[in-house]
Amino acid sequence: EDQVTQSPEALRLQEGESSSLNCSYTVSGLRGLFWYRQDPGKGPEFLFTLYSAGEEKEKERLKATLTKKESFLHITAPKPEDSATYLCAVRYGGSQGNLIFGKGTKLSVKP
Amino acid sequence: NAGVMQNPRHLVRRRGQEARLRCSPMKGHSHVYWYRQLPEEGLKFMVYLQKENIIDESGMPKERFSAEFPKEGPSILRIQQVVRGDSAAYFCASLGQMGEQYFGPGTRLTVT
């Protein structure tokens, strides 16, 4: 069964303490891996799309990377406002474009 | 540039009533996806629509749930005879040019 697994489920960091979130996937024919940020009570906010192994994307303190089996979201020197749930999703060859989501990593950054 | 709009933001229904959730995609977008998010669960795909056409409804429960996207007006997700298990956040997403999806703020349905 196609799956997307994110780890850890929750991560607590001190402000300025860099870390990485993991997303592993087991779909056939990856057609894109997507990272989203979701704040409580809101809809997911699009961050990045990655299409092929070796690709990297950056935005402010966030950097997303992709291998053949997993993706990492690196957070450099996080700030309290980076606290949110980060969702990973994949689009695969057998779908009509719908996304399969992981359960997310809840990030808390303490000042 | 207006984003994806959903209404109502919160909806309370008693068991057995009908719930109608509306979604207007981003301007110029004509493809809409609906997802459901249960507490402590990930977002789950329900249905994918184009104007006047259902492309993929493989994630939609077979009974009580239906969706449409008419030529004019918003997409509508309809849940008949709601049960407590239907309580969830329902999100729609608008399809961008590179395959990314832009989500609305969601409708939080509570069934009492």
Side-chain angles (χ1 to χ4, degrees):
Chain A
E1 182 181 330
D2 294 330
Q3 275 198 333
V4 179
T5 304
Q6 291 189 247
S7 62
E9 290 184 11
L11 182 62
R12 291 177 178 239
L13 299 174
Q14 288 296 124
E15 184 172 3
E17 180 186 3
S18 300
S19 188
S20 296
L21 282 54
N22 178 265
C23 171
S24 62
Y25 58 93
T26 57
V27 298
S28 302
L30 182 73
R31 289 172 58 194
L33 185 141
F34 303 81
W35 282 99
Y36 287 85
R37 168 189 172 133
Q38 186 174 25
D39 292 293
K42 296 190 176 182
E45 175 189 346
F46 173 71
L47 293 174
F48 303 110
T49 307
L50 301 165
Y51 289 103
S52 56
E55 190 175 357
E56 298 182 352
K57 294 273 180 74
E58 281 189 74
K59 180 180 179 180
E60 296 180 355
R61 294 176 293 281
L62 300 177
K63 178 180 175 181
T65 62
L66 180 65
T67 72
K68 288 187 178 179
K69 293 293 184 187
E70 58 190 348
S71 176
F72 292 93
L73 184 65
H74 307 278
I75 303 175
T76 302
K79 298 182 178 183
E81 53 262 41
D82 294 322
S83 297
T85 296
Y86 290 85
L87 303 173
C88 168
V90 299
R91 185 180 178 194
Y92 65 103
S95 77
Q96 293 287 344
N98 55 284
L99 301 178
I100 301 176
F101 278 86
K103 292 186 178 181
T105 293
K106 185 175 182 179
L107 175 65
S108 298
V109 182
K110 301 298 182 185
Chain B
N1 184 18
V4 178
M5 293 188 288
Q6 290 187 249
N7 65 80
R9 296 291 308 276
H10 299 274
L11 182 61
V12 179
R13 285 287 179 265
R14 292 180 179 169
R15 280 179 296 171
Q17 291 185 320
E18 178 180 289
R20 283 190 180 222
L21 289 62
R22 289 176 288 276
C23 168
S24 295
M26 293 174 72
K27 187 176 180 181
H29 290 188
S30 59
H31 296 246
V32 165
Y33 295 81
W34 284 92
Y35 293 83
R36 177 164 63 177
Q37 188 173 42
L38 292 164
E40 307 305 316
E41 294 286 330
L43 284 150
K44 301 291 186 187
F45 166 73
M46 298 181 74
V47 62
Y48 167 33
L49 307 109
Q50 197 177 18
K51 288 273 188 182
E52 300 184 281
N53 194 18
I54 297 175
I55 306 296
D56 182 0
E57 55 182 351
S58 60
M60 193 94 98
K62 294 287 186 288
E63 299 179 351
R64 304 187 296 109
F65 285 73
S66 62
E68 63 176 2
F69 192 9
K71 186 177 180 180
E72 301 291 336
S75 175
I76 295 174
L77 179 67
R78 182 182 177 203
I79 311 172
Q80 295 179 289
Q81 299 177 323
V82 296
V83 300
R84 288 218 173 110
D86 296 332
S87 295
Y90 292 82
F91 294 95
C92 78
S94 178
L95 183 64
Q97 289 187 349
M98 300 299 290
E100 73 279 16
Q101 294 181 19
Y102 297 96
F103 283 79
T107 293
R108 277 141 190 88
L109 172 66
T110 301
V111 179
T112 62

